[in-house]
Coordinates of all heavy atoms in Angstrom, one line a residue:
S1 N -31.6 18.0 26.5 CA -30.9 16.7 26.6 C -29.9 16.7 27.8 O -29.4 15.6 28.1 CB -30.1 16.5 25.3 OG -29.0 17.4 25.2
I2 N -29.8 17.8 28.5 CA -28.8 17.9 29.6 C -29.4 17.3 30.9 O -30.5 17.7 31.3 CB -28.4 19.3 29.8 CG1 -27.7 19.9 28.6 CG2 -27.5 19.4 31.1 CD1 -27.4 21.4 28.7
S3 N -28.7 16.3 31.5 CA -29.2 15.7 32.7 C -28.5 16.3 33.9 O -29.1 16.2 35.1 CB -29.0 14.2 32.7 OG -27.6 13.9 32.5
A4 N -27.4 16.9 33.8 CA -26.7 17.6 34.9 C -25.7 18.6 34.3 O -25.2 18.4 33.2 CB -26.0 16.5 35.7
M5 N -25.4 19.6 35.1 CA -24.3 20.5 34.8 C -23.4 20.7 36.0 O -23.8 20.6 37.1 CB -24.9 21.9 34.3 CG -25.6 21.8 33.0 SD -26.1 23.4 32.4 CE -24.5 24.1 32.0
G6 N -22.1 20.9 35.7 CA -21.2 21.1 36.8 C -20.0 21.8 36.4 O -19.8 22.3 35.3
W7 N -19.1 22.0 37.4 CA -17.8 22.6 37.2 C -16.7 21.7 37.6 O -16.8 21.0 38.6 CB -17.8 23.9 38.1 CG -18.7 25.0 37.7 CD1 -20.0 25.2 38.1 CD2 -18.4 26.0 36.7 NE1 -20.5 26.3 37.4 CE2 -19.5 26.8 36.6 CE3 -17.3 26.3 35.9 CZ2 -19.6 27.9 35.7 CZ3 -17.3 27.4 35.1 CH2 -18.5 28.2 35.0
Y8 N -15.7 21.6 36.7 CA -14.5 20.9 37.0 C -13.4 21.9 37.0 O -13.5 23.0 36.5 CB -14.2 19.9 35.8 CG -15.1 18.6 35.9 CD1 -16.5 18.7 35.5 CD2 -14.6 17.4 36.2 CE1 -17.3 17.6 35.5 CE2 -15.4 16.2 36.1 CZ -16.8 16.4 35.8 OH -17.5 15.2 35.8
R9 N -12.2 21.4 37.6 CA -11.0 22.3 37.5 C -9.8 21.4 37.3 O -9.8 20.2 37.6 CB -10.9 23.1 38.8 CG -10.6 22.3 40.1 CD -10.6 23.2 41.3 NE -10.4 22.4 42.5 CZ -10.5 22.9 43.7 NH1 -10.8 24.2 43.9 NH2 -10.3 22.2 44.8
Q10 N -8.8 22.0 36.7 CA -7.6 21.3 36.5 C -6.4 22.3 36.8 O -6.3 23.3 36.1 CB -7.5 20.8 35.0 CG -6.3 19.9 34.8 CD -6.4 19.2 33.5 OE1 -7.1 19.6 32.6 NE2 -5.6 18.1 33.4
A11 N -5.6 21.9 37.8 CA -4.4 22.6 38.1 C -3.3 22.1 37.4 O -3.3 20.9 36.9 CB -4.2 22.5 39.6
P12 N -2.2 22.8 37.2 CA -1.0 22.4 36.5 C -0.5 21.1 37.1 O -0.3 21.0 38.3 CB 0.0 23.5 36.6 CG -0.9 24.7 36.8 CD -2.1 24.3 37.6
G13 N -0.3 20.1 36.2 CA 0.3 18.8 36.7 C -0.7 17.9 37.4 O -0.3 16.9 37.9
K14 N -1.9 18.3 37.5 CA -2.9 17.5 38.2 C -4.0 17.1 37.2 O -4.2 17.7 36.2 CB -3.5 18.2 39.4 CG -2.5 18.5 40.4 CD -3.2 19.1 41.7 CE -2.2 19.3 42.8 NZ -2.8 19.9 44.0
Q15 N -4.8 16.0 37.6 CA -5.9 15.6 36.8 C -7.1 16.5 37.0 O -7.2 17.2 38.1 CB -6.3 14.2 37.3 CG -5.3 13.1 36.8 CD -5.8 11.7 37.1 OE1 -6.6 11.5 38.0 NE2 -5.4 10.8 36.3
R16 N -7.9 16.6 36.0 CA -9.2 17.3 36.1 C -10.1 16.7 37.2 O -10.2 15.5 37.2 CB -9.9 17.4 34.8 CG -11.0 18.3 34.7 CD -11.6 18.5 33.3 NE -10.6 19.0 32.4 CZ -10.9 19.4 31.1 NH1 -12.1 19.2 30.7 NH2 -9.9 19.8 30.3
E17 N -10.6 17.5 38.0 CA -11.5 17.0 39.1 C -12.8 17.7 39.1 O -12.9 18.9 38.8 CB -10.9 17.1 40.5 CG -10.7 18.6 41.0 CD -10.3 18.6 42.4 OE1 -10.2 17.6 43.1 OE2 -9.9 19.8 42.9
L18 N -13.9 17.0 39.5 CA -15.2 17.6 39.7 C -15.2 18.4 40.9 O -14.8 18.0 42.0 CB -16.2 16.5 39.8 CG -17.7 16.9 40.1 CD1 -18.2 17.7 38.9 CD2 -18.6 15.7 40.4
V19 N -15.7 19.7 40.7 CA -15.8 20.6 41.9 C -17.2 20.6 42.4 O -17.4 20.5 43.6 CB -15.4 22.0 41.4 CG1 -15.6 23.0 42.6 CG2 -14.0 22.0 40.9
A20 N -18.2 20.7 41.5 CA -19.6 20.8 42.0 C -20.5 20.4 40.8 O -20.1 20.7 39.6 CB -19.9 22.2 42.5
R21 N -21.6 19.8 41.1 CA -22.5 19.4 40.1 C -24.0 19.6 40.6 O -24.2 19.3 41.7 CB -22.3 17.9 39.7 CG -23.3 17.4 38.7 CD -23.1 16.0 38.3 NE -21.9 15.8 37.5 CZ -21.2 14.7 37.4 NH1 -21.5 13.6 38.1 NH2 -20.1 14.6 36.6
I22 N -24.8 20.0 39.6 CA -26.2 20.1 39.9 C -27.0 19.3 38.9 O -26.8 19.5 37.7 CB -26.7 21.5 40.0 CG1 -28.2 21.6 40.4 CG2 -26.4 22.3 38.8 CD1 -28.6 23.0 40.8
T23 N -27.9 18.4 39.3 CA -28.6 17.6 38.3 C -29.9 18.3 37.9 O -30.3 19.3 38.5 CB -29.0 16.2 38.9 OG1 -30.0 16.4 39.9 CG2 -27.8 15.5 39.5
R24 N -30.6 17.8 36.9 CA -31.8 18.3 36.4 C -32.8 18.4 37.5 O -33.6 19.3 37.7 CB -32.4 17.5 35.2 CG -33.7 18.0 34.7 CD -34.2 17.1 33.6 NE -33.3 17.0 32.5 CZ -33.4 16.0 31.6 NH1 -34.3 15.0 31.7 NH2 -32.5 16.0 30.6
G25 N -32.8 17.4 38.4 CA -33.7 17.3 39.5 C -33.4 18.2 40.7 O -34.1 18.3 41.7
G26 N -32.2 18.8 40.6 CA -31.8 19.7 41.7 C -30.8 19.1 42.7 O -30.5 19.8 43.7
S27 N -30.4 17.9 42.5 CA -29.5 17.3 43.5 C -28.1 18.0 43.2 O -27.7 18.2 42.1 CB -29.4 15.8 43.3 OG -30.6 15.2 43.6
I28 N -27.4 18.2 44.3 CA -26.1 18.9 44.3 C -25.1 18.1 45.0 O -25.4 17.6 46.1 CB -26.2 20.3 44.9 CG1 -27.1 21.2 44.0 CG2 -24.9 21.0 45.1 CD1 -27.4 22.6 44.6
N29 N -23.9 18.1 44.5 CA -22.8 17.5 45.2 C -21.5 18.3 45.0 O -21.4 19.0 43.9 CB -22.5 16.0 44.9 CG -22.2 15.8 43.4 OD1 -23.0 15.9 42.6 ND2 -20.9 15.5 43.2
Y30 N -20.6 18.3 46.0 CA -19.4 19.1 45.9 C -18.2 18.2 46.3 O -18.4 17.2 47.1 CB -19.4 20.2 47.0 CG -20.5 21.3 46.8 CD1 -21.7 21.2 47.5 CD2 -20.3 22.3 45.9 CE1 -22.7 22.1 47.3 CE2 -21.2 23.3 45.8 CZ -22.4 23.2 46.5 OH -23.4 24.2 46.3
V31 N -17.1 18.5 45.7 CA -15.9 17.9 46.2 C -15.6 18.4 47.6 O -15.9 19.5 48.0 CB -14.7 18.2 45.3 CG1 -14.3 19.7 45.4 CG2 -13.5 17.3 45.6
H32 N -15.1 17.5 48.5 CA -14.9 17.8 49.9 C -14.2 19.1 50.2 O -14.6 19.9 51.1 CB -14.3 16.6 50.6 CG -14.1 16.9 52.1 ND1 -15.1 16.8 53.0 CD2 -12.9 17.2 52.8 CE1 -14.6 17.1 54.2 NE2 -13.3 17.3 54.1
S33 N -13.2 19.4 49.4 CA -12.3 20.5 49.6 C -13.0 21.9 49.5 O -12.5 22.9 49.9 CB -11.1 20.5 48.7 OG -11.4 20.5 47.4
V34 N -14.2 21.9 48.8 CA -14.8 23.2 48.6 C -16.1 23.3 49.4 O -16.8 24.4 49.4 CB -15.1 23.5 47.1 CG1 -13.8 23.3 46.3 CG2 -16.2 22.6 46.6
K35 N -16.5 22.3 50.1 CA -17.8 22.3 50.8 C -17.7 23.5 51.9 O -16.8 23.6 52.6 CB -18.0 21.0 51.5 CG -18.5 19.9 50.6 CD -18.8 18.6 51.4 CE -19.2 17.5 50.4 NZ -19.5 16.2 51.1
G36 N -18.8 24.2 51.9 CA -18.9 25.4 52.8 C -18.3 26.6 52.2 O -18.5 27.7 52.8
R37 N -17.6 26.5 51.1 CA -17.0 27.7 50.5 C -17.6 28.0 49.1 O -17.7 29.2 48.8 CB -15.5 27.6 50.4 CG -14.8 27.3 51.7 CD -13.2 27.4 51.5 NE -12.8 26.3 50.6 CZ -12.1 26.5 49.5 NH1 -11.8 27.8 49.1 NH2 -11.6 25.5 48.8
F38 N -17.9 27.0 48.4 CA -18.4 27.2 47.0 C -19.9 26.8 47.0 O -20.4 25.9 47.7 CB -17.7 26.3 46.0 CG -16.3 26.6 45.8 CD1 -15.6 27.6 46.5 CD2 -15.6 26.0 44.7 CE1 -14.3 27.9 46.3 CE2 -14.3 26.3 44.4 CZ -13.6 27.2 45.2
T39 N -20.6 27.5 46.1 CA -22.1 27.2 46.0 C -22.4 27.2 44.5 O -22.1 28.1 43.8 CB -22.9 28.3 46.6 OG1 -22.6 28.3 48.0 CG2 -24.4 27.9 46.5

């Protein structure tokens, strides 16, 4: 039933943000601040 999986993060005092996601079809997106560093 899963269409995508991803990683979020939440720092103290901040909202939870999407870090990276990969869809069932293999599409990937990253938050700008981690591009080139996270995979």
Side-chain angles (χ1 to χ4, degrees):
S1 70
I2 297 173
S3 60
M5 290 188 69
W7 291 93
Y8 285 70
R9 66 185 179 188
Q10 188 166 19
K14 295 188 176 181
Q15 289 189 332
R16 189 174 297 189
E17 67 170 351
L18 174 65
V19 177
R21 174 181 287 159
I22 182 167
T23 69
R24 180 186 297 165
S27 296
I28 291 173
N29 62 286
Y30 298 97
V31 67
H32 178 75
S33 60
V34 308
K35 285 182 179 179
R37 300 189 297 121
F38 291 12
T39 303

